Amino acid sequence: MGGAGVSHSIAAGLLAPDLRSPHLPGLGAQWLFEVCSPVTVAGPRRIRTGFPSATGDTVTARIGPGYVRRTMTSALLGSRLVVAGTHSGVGKTTVATGLLAALRRAGHRPAGAKVGPDFIDPGYHALACGRPPRNLDAWLCGAEVIPALAGRAAAGADVLIVEGVMGLFDGSADGTPSSTADVARLLDAPVVLVVDAGAMSASVAALVHGFATFDPSVRIGGVILNQVGSPAHEVQLREALAPLGWPVLGALGRDDRLTWRDRHLGLVPVAERPAVVTEALDRLAAAVAEQVDLDAVMRLAASAPPLAVDAPPLPAWDGTDETPTRIAVAAGAAFTFTYTDTLDALMAAGAEPVPFDPLRDEALPEGVDGLIAGGGFPEVYAAELAANRPMLADVRRRVEGGLPTWAECGGLLWLCRTLDGRAMAGAVPADAVMTGRLTLGYRAATVTTPAPIGDPGAVVRGHEFHYSTVEPAGGALVFRSRFGERPDGFATPTLLATYLHHHPGGDPSAVARFVETCRRSRSRSSGRCPT
């Protein structure tokens, strides 16, 4: 089937603005938009994203061009906890996802969020709790907006489970608040420390004692032991920890059936094998329900004091243009890296995200005014993407014809002439190759040439995480970090293709500008005078 038909059928249920969420204590009613998410599960899986209604909203300040901050009066963030690890690979995602799934099966309404910029782990959270994936990244969004983003993630839930990043105290290289500990402090949330105990016994006490006393402002509320070898091993671990006074909330035995397959950027996205992940999730939920004290977990989460939160900033749109601004959003197995907050910002700016699958569809959706191609794993699907010549030809024709386009990382590779020698869209004059070298880190990117997200001099915060290079690298942006700077990306007034992943949770002005570019481009092509 051609792209227009498939995309239209997916997008038909994208917005349902006639639904209202249950009221939170002291919180005004919220509109619920039912989103056919392009970010976590292949096909039209529906998830719901909350937006503030006019009830209870007050405009407090204009903090940037084209958008305002809205405050929801008396909104409180309730039960919450942070799942942290001693280091990467200890099982944070296993524990956090397992808690979400087990609590949901026990009749609770859990919500999940991920510290840092990761796209993949939140997809597992979304499958476990049935809610949109969310990120809490203090470097990308600013520390001051983290409580507001957490409040949006937790809207309508009875507990928020936040999965940390790396080790508890590991953060950005430049020292900007960004670690799991930083987010726990910002949320005034207790921490559950996950320990890989597979190769230790009494030494677990020294490890936990060090983490629990290193920073008194971070409250360790309990420990979950992972990779426990046997019942006897569990007894030894519990005896070692007993004198310290920090409760052991659970002990998960070593079980290869609970291990999800990794890839070079982390776990394999849910969208690539939803049936396999769902089966593993069922086993994990049962294991956590049996081996973790869920009542104790809920009591710990409830010990977090109520925290007053504002609503995060969203683009302002006066609604004067009655014709929807339809923006195609790449989805499917090859393109799973799109933040829910990006979709929120698009809709708040008056746009309608229209998902399409570059692997299966033969053309962009009909009648779209813009294109967003986020990241993912196009290198894994390079042969299939290259074989879809009708889609590639349509994309090149539309981009070269001035369709406003924003491509990030994997989207950049898709728009290049080639990827590892296979022909791609050719809308960007560069060739991409996979390498064995990882490039990652936070970047402050300065726009150097007119682009659809901003004028020269505009600064956009983002991150990059890839094993590929493009030649030439382009120079539409200048990336700056603690360890230097370099040019990146390609731009025209209607195109930005870059390695930078942008999260608009703290500053949606780039999304607002992109939607405005799409709206003005449509007006020019139709002969209308843009307002």
Side-chain angles (χ1 to χ4, degrees), residues 36 63 131 155 157 165 251 254 280 286 292 314 344 395 397 476 525:
C36 180
I63 57 176
R131 296 169 60 94
V165 61
R254 187 179 297 117
V292 175
L314 287 171
D344 290 348
V395 168
R397 178 182 64 83
S525 63

Side-chain angles (χ1 to χ4, degrees), residues 154-510:
D158 59 10
V159 63
L160 176 65
I161 306 295
V162 178
E163 180 191 344
V165 61
M166 301 184 291
L168 175 57
F169 299 104
D170 300 324
S172 65
D174 64 6
T176 300
S178 55
S179 70
T180 303
D182 291 325
V183 171
R185 279 190 294 267
L186 290 167
L187 298 181
D188 198 3
V191 173
V192 174
L193 186 66
V194 179
V195 176
D196 182 347
M200 67 178 72
S201 56
S203 295
V204 71
L207 182 65
V208 171
H209 183 273
F211 271 85
T213 59
F214 179 75
D215 184 346
S217 70
V218 178
R219 178 163 67 98
I220 303 295
V223 177
I224 291 181
L225 303 168
N226 194 25
Q227 299 292 331
V228 177
S230 66
H233 186 205
E234 180 180 343
V235 169
Q236 290 178 289
L237 294 167
R238 288 180 178 272
E239 288 177 346
L241 289 170
L244 301 182
W246 288 286
V248 176
L249 302 174
L252 295 174
R254 187 179 297 117
D255 188 346
D256 291 340
R257 296 177 304 166
L258 304 181
T259 301
W260 290 309
R261 181 164 56 93
D262 286 347
R263 187 182 284 153
H264 51 276
L265 296 183
L267 297 176
V268 174
V270 172
E272 296 189 31
R273 47 184 193 138
V276 173
V277 175
T278 299
E279 182 180 350
L281 186 61
D282 290 337
R283 291 194 298 267
L284 177 59
V288 168
E290 179 183 354
Q291 300 170 38
V292 175
D293 187 342
L294 295 181
D295 290 338
V297 169
M298 289 298 291
R299 287 194 299 272
L300 177 62
S303 72
L307 180 66
V309 297
D310 296 338
L314 287 171
W317 178 53
D318 59 14
T320 55
D321 188 347
E322 296 181 358
T323 303
T325 302
R326 304 179 75 237
I327 297 179
V329 179
F335 293 92
T336 55
F337 293 0
T338 299
Y339 290 121
T340 301
D341 292 76
T342 299
L343 302 178
D344 290 348
L346 287 170
M347 289 187 283
E352 176 189 351
V354 184
F356 73 99
D357 189 344
L359 286 171
R360 308 288 175 238
D361 296 347
E362 295 180 354
L364 294 178
E366 291 291 338
V368 294
D369 308 301
L371 166 63
I372 292 178
F377 288 101
E379 66 272 20
V380 175
Y381 297 94
E384 293 94 325
L385 290 169
N388 192 354
R389 301 308 304 170
M391 171 61 81
L392 295 175
D394 185 59
V395 168
R396 178 172 182 172
R397 178 182 64 83
R398 298 290 298 278
V399 173
E400 291 181 345
L403 180 71
T405 299
W406 188 352
E408 296 182 340
C409 199
L412 164 65
L413 304 189
W414 184 52
L415 294 185
C416 282
R417 289 181 298 234
T418 62
L419 171 55
D420 280 343
R422 292 187 172 92
M424 293 287 124
V428 168
D431 299 285
V433 295
M434 299 303 298
T435 72
R437 179 180 179 182
L438 175 62
T439 301
L440 80 163
Y442 290 118
R443 307 288 184 254
T446 302
V447 178
T448 65
T449 188
I453 68 166
D455 297 321
V459 178
V460 179
R461 293 170 78 84
H463 73 98
E464 58 177 335
F465 190 36
H466 54 90
Y467 279 92
S468 63
T469 62
V470 297
E471 179 60 38
L477 304 175
V478 174
F479 286 177
R480 291 184 173 89
S481 68
R482 176 184 176 185
F483 300 110
E485 62 180 59
R486 76 170 202 278
D488 175 88
F490 303 82
T492 69
T494 59
L495 167 69
L496 177 65
T498 172
Y499 271 118
L500 192 75
H501 292 286
H502 173 63
H503 189 293
D507 179 2
S509 57

Side-chain angles (χ1 to χ4, degrees), residues 13-31:
L14 193 66
L15 297 176
D18 57 336
L19 303 175
R20 287 185 181 270
S21 72
H23 290 171
L24 292 176
L27 194 62
Q30 287 187 323
W31 290 113

Side-chain angles (χ1 to χ4, degrees), residues 15-70:
L15 297 176
D18 57 336
L19 303 175
R20 287 185 181 270
S21 72
H23 290 171
L24 292 176
L27 194 62
Q30 287 187 323
W31 290 113
L32 281 178
F33 293 83
E34 200 167 46
V35 179
C36 180
S37 172
V39 297
T40 57
V41 180
R45 179 172 187 263
R46 295 178 182 273
I47 57 179
R48 300 194 300 174
T49 302
F51 289 89
S53 73
T55 306
D57 283 3
T58 58
V59 176
T60 58
R62 179 169 294 277
I63 57 176
Y67 64 95
V68 296
R69 182 185 294 277
R70 293 182 175 88

